Amino acid sequence: MNAKLTRMSRAAAAVAATAVLALTATACGGSDDKADTSSSSGPASGSASNSATESTGSQGSASSQASADSGKSGGTAVTSPSPRGAGQAVAAKSACTNAELKPSIVHGTDADPDGKADQTQAQLLFTNVGKRTCTVQGHPGVDLVNAKGETWNVAWQKQTAEKVTLKPGVATMAQLTFLPISPSSTAPDQQPFLPVTVKVTPPDTTATASLAWPWQDIAVLRQDSATHPGTFISTVNGTASS
């Protein structure tokens, strides 16, 4: 990961507490989430939706409608996401395909999550490994899977989804915000969920990659049934060379 990614990762970590996630270079994003707990900084989720715009010419009679970006509204309430990225707007012809987007987890840099923080982030990277420039927009689908095979379908952060343009070899990122806890914690009402695998489906695709959870000393505070969990996934946003 080069210096551009390090600078972008630092910027993303600096704003994790407010869920205002912005990276350096070209900033872009997506929609829906699970959101805040009483101790978290509040995202929200929602499924993708379409809006229409109408324009009238100077002579007055002609009008047209076009569907707009999904998930335009913001806020702090959350609902369960559609599984694995379903419900996103129909991909345009320029959208990156299954074969062109390679998901990975950023590990071994200053972007690693802080296991001692009240709330922290892991960075998911989506690299264009194809030979053409393509676009990506919206939330990735993210499932956490533990050693027992239990699956946690992570909620979407509710935010505006913007389109990110990726040249070959360029990546975009999404932030997995979560409440860290020790895997050995026995605190009342604080059950740790230690992922073994993270199943990631890039926005507007159907291919799911199974990625190893790199931090066996950091578990996630179990909230997979919570109405307002502190664990959620952002839209893809920003670009970086990988």
Side-chain angles (χ1 to χ4, degrees):
M1 192 66 54
N2 67 15
K4 289 185 180 179
L5 176 58
T6 300
R7 291 196 296 271
M8 182 177 65
S9 302
R10 286 173 178 166
V15 295
T18 60
V20 180
L21 308 173
L23 299 177
T24 58
T26 52
C28 301
S31 66
D32 198 328
D33 99 356
K34 278 183 176 181
D36 47 29
T37 60
S38 59
S39 63
S40 72
S41 61
S45 83
S47 59
S49 64
N50 290 331
S51 63
T53 60
E54 179 176 327
S55 61
T56 304
S58 58
Q59 299 303 317
S61 60
S63 66
S64 63
Q65 290 185 332
S67 58
D69 293 340
S70 61
K72 288 286 187 178
S73 61
T76 56
V78 296
T79 59
S80 297
S82 301
R84 297 185 180 178
Q88 299 288 341
V90 177
K93 290 182 180 180
S94 62
C96 299
T97 65
N98 291 335
E100 290 171 325
L101 283 179
K102 179 182 179 182
S104 59
I105 297 176
V106 178
H107 175 47
T109 73
D110 58 0
D112 281 351
D114 182 357
K116 296 181 180 180
D118 292 333
Q119 190 174 50
T120 190
Q121 289 184 325
Q123 309 293 331
L124 303 184
L125 195 69
F126 300 88
T127 305
N128 179 2
V129 295
K131 296 181 180 180
R132 70 181 182 106
T133 297
C134 59
T135 62
V136 60
Q137 181 178 17
H139 293 86
V142 176
D143 290 338
L144 305 179
V145 184
N146 65 14
K148 297 179 181 179
E150 297 171 322
T151 299
W152 179 346
N153 183 209
V154 177
W156 287 346
Q157 181 180 4
K158 191 172 185 179
Q159 58 186 152
T160 299
E162 296 183 17
K163 190 174 294 185
V164 181
T165 299
L166 299 179
K167 294 180 179 180
V170 175
T172 186
M173 298 176 77
Q175 290 72 43
L176 173 62
T177 299
F178 66 96
L179 305 179
I181 189 172
S182 169
S184 59
S185 176
T186 57
D189 302 322
Q190 292 190 356
Q191 182 180 358
F193 186 102
L194 180 60
V196 174
T197 302
V198 183
K199 293 185 176 180
V200 180
T201 307
D204 290 324
T205 71
T206 57
T208 299
S210 293
L211 310 175
W213 178 259
W215 308 285
Q216 292 306 299
D217 59 337
I218 304 177
V220 182
L221 179 62
R222 187 156 194 165
Q223 295 182 307
D224 44 331
S225 299
T227 303
H228 301 289
T231 297
F232 46 87
I233 185 70
S234 77
T235 63
V236 292
N237 54 92
T239 58
S241 298
S242 60

